[in-house]
Amino acid sequence: MLIYRFLTGEDDVSFCHKVTKALSEGWALHGSPSYAFDAATQKMKCGQAVTRMAKDQPYDPDKKLVDF
């Protein structure tokens, strides 16, 4: 089963660490990153989709994606 996550955060080093951590856990980049201005906070926000193959098992929406 292919699982999907969308990581988001402010455009700072912590976002880069979040993506790097996901990659180190076996997630792969999916598509291009997104970048947008948040008018409420006056800061830039980043987003990056990641995917990972999980062992064959039924999908459980109550289960955390990192636990697949």
Side-chain angles (χ1 to χ4, degrees), residues 8-54:
T8 61
E10 285 187 20
D11 180 22
D12 60 16
V13 70
S14 66
F15 178 75
C16 296
H17 284 287
K18 184 185 292 189
V19 174
T20 301
K21 182 177 186 295
L23 295 174
S24 75
E25 294 171 344
W27 295 86
L29 299 176
H30 181 80
S32 299
S34 61
Y35 199 56
F37 182 70
D38 182 344
T41 63
Q42 298 291 300
K43 296 184 179 185
M44 294 302 292
K45 300 284 181 142
C46 298
Q48 175 64 58
V50 292
T51 59
R52 182 174 74 182
M53 287 301 295

Side-chain angles (χ1 to χ4, degrees), residues 1-4 55-63 65 68:
M1 171 175 60
L2 184 66
I3 52 178
Y4 170 93
K55 296 177 186 174
D56 288 334
Q57 56 189 297
Y59 175 68
D60 179 356
D62 295 325
K63 190 174 183 180
L65 294 175
F68 277 98

